[in-house]
Amino acid sequence: SIVRHAGTMNSLYQLVSAGESRCLEAADRALDYLLEMRVDHNDWSMINEPGTRSRLGVMGFLVTGLVQRRAVTGDQQYDDLLRRLGRFILVQQESDGSIRAFWDPRTEAPSPDEYGQFATGEAVWALVELDNTFTNEGWWEAAELTLHYMADGTREEKEGHLARLPDHWAAYALEAAGTARLDDELAAYADRLAGYFSMRLRIEAQRTGSPLNVAVRGFPGPPAGVGTAAEGMAALYRLAGTDPRLEDLEADMVERMTCNAGTMVRRQIGQAEAAEEPDPGLALGAWFYRSYTQVDDQQHVLSGLLGAEQAMRESSR
């Protein structure tokens, strides 16, 4: 999945931003793979796998990854590309703030009435980061429109979701926007997202995988699913540190992230378990769900652990 590739690249740049400079080479290799599929169209650019429609989420992750890379390295060689990718997102955005998930090379237009469960959040996070990087260019106006579309329930009604979506990418966007730009509706949205992530992590902490526990609590969740709740909570924890409307949540957030970090470290494949696999080198360090793993199982757990490490370090001062 090219979207999961781009998301994992973004996670690697998060690690670089946190001081793990050894991850830069791998992140840049992932970046080069995407840029080989770059297609320029009018005044905007996209990544397009041959024979497929271009996916909104890839551009969202490419923007957020490049912004992080720029901040760490000081390298501004991709500034023009950042703006061109941002203009692709604007092409996909509709007047109510919704953002279409695909662009079809055959029709040379956005695919109508198709929206991604996660792509909207990935794209709005990118728009906020573009505004943080290139101020006064109009990126915030587009981002704010979509954030309110997600916050007020219009998204679920338009896109056919029966319940409010627990969007961890929206949490990143809210964090990037910062307290000064969040009105009360967006602050309440952050509060509601934190409540969902808290519930998800609490339920997961009660799942041990033993036969009796599985019968009562269910099987331990997919690492990617658990990880998204953890990294969403981490983003809102960082926001709560600067927003008095959320500061009463901080202690509970640290508790949930600390508990989840212990759970996921315990579930990671160690030396002894890896030695039992046909290829120990591929299993070591991974997280599995019922004998299966995919790249975003590593991506989301890593981002969640990174956020938990920061929270635990700060809370111990």
Side-chain angles (χ1 to χ4, degrees):
S1 167
I2 191 173
V3 178
R4 290 190 175 115
H5 171 94
T8 305
M9 176 202 70
N10 182 78
S11 187
L12 288 170
Y13 281 126
Q14 284 181 317
L15 289 168
V16 175
S17 297
E20 295 288 343
S21 58
R22 60 183 175 170
C23 295
L24 180 60
E25 181 182 355
D28 281 350
R29 286 202 308 272
L31 171 63
D32 290 342
Y33 175 81
L34 289 177
L35 295 183
E36 289 177 0
M37 293 177 278
R38 172 179 173 173
V39 176
D40 294 330
H41 192 285
N42 297 329
D43 68 340
W44 51 265
S45 297
M46 62 183 176
I47 304 301
N48 186 226
E49 283 185 296
T52 69
R53 293 182 297 172
S54 190
R55 301 175 68 94
L56 173 68
V58 175
M59 267 53 73
F61 284 133
L62 187 50
V63 167
T64 55
L66 286 174
V67 166
Q68 291 178 91
R69 184 186 188 279
R70 183 184 194 271
V72 170
T73 66
D75 184 356
Q76 300 181 21
Q77 66 172 304
Y78 297 113
D79 282 8
D80 179 63
L81 175 59
L82 277 167
R83 291 183 171 96
R84 293 182 65 90
L85 293 167
R87 288 194 287 269
F88 169 86
I89 296 173
L90 297 184
V91 167
Q92 300 296 108
Q93 189 180 46
E94 298 183 285
S95 60
D96 61 358
S98 59
I99 308 180
R100 292 162 289 195
F102 300 98
W103 194 89
D104 195 333
R106 295 170 301 175
T107 61
E108 294 197 344
S111 298
D113 304 321
E114 288 191 70
Y115 309 94
Q117 182 173 349
F118 303 110
T120 302
E122 293 155 1
V124 76
W125 180 22
L127 289 173
V128 177
E129 294 291 13
L130 283 168
D131 186 69
N132 289 341
T133 306
F134 308 117
T135 56
N136 301 318
E137 293 187 4
W139 301 109
W140 171 246
E141 288 76 9
E144 185 179 28
L145 178 65
T146 295
L147 281 172
H148 279 286
Y149 167 76
M150 301 169 76
D152 66 11
T154 304
R155 178 190 191 185
E156 286 76 16
E157 181 179 351
K158 179 174 182 174
E159 299 178 20
H161 300 290
L162 296 179
R164 301 298 297 272
L165 293 175
D167 198 319
H168 53 291
W169 303 122
Y172 277 112
L174 293 166
E175 176 204 356
T179 301
R181 288 185 290 185
L182 300 184
D183 60 21
D184 287 345
E185 182 177 64
L186 294 180
Y189 182 38
D191 193 316
R192 186 167 62 250
L193 288 173
Y196 168 80
F197 300 142
S198 177
M199 178 181 67
R200 177 71 174 86
L201 295 178
R202 182 178 178 86
I203 291 171
E204 196 60 36
Q206 299 171 348
R207 293 171 168 170
T208 66
S210 68
L212 179 59
N213 184 267
V214 168
V216 177
R217 300 292 186 188
F219 202 84
V226 181
T228 57
E231 66 178 315
M233 182 70 88
L236 295 177
Y237 165 78
R238 293 187 291 267
L239 174 62
T242 63
D243 195 322
R245 294 168 293 186
L246 303 172
E247 63 182 358
D248 63 321
L249 304 177
E250 284 188 84
D252 288 340
M253 288 176 164
V254 174
E255 179 182 302
R256 291 290 187 271
M257 287 188 288
T258 301
C259 179
N260 178 71
T263 298
M264 299 314 292
V265 168
R266 189 168 59 249
R267 291 180 185 175
Q268 189 177 32
I269 299 298
Q271 293 280 359
E273 292 173 288
E276 299 174 1
E277 300 295 330
D279 191 334
L282 289 179
L284 181 63
W287 286 274
F288 281 80
Y289 175 67
R290 309 184 82 165
S291 302
Y292 175 81
T293 191
Q294 58 191 32
V295 67
D296 59 335
D297 287 320
Q298 329 316 320
Q299 167 198 342
H300 294 300
V301 175
L302 285 172
S303 294
L305 289 175
L306 184 64
E309 188 275 336
Q310 175 190 355
M312 288 187 284
R313 177 165 27 88
E314 293 178 351
S315 65
S316 65
R317 291 173 182 170

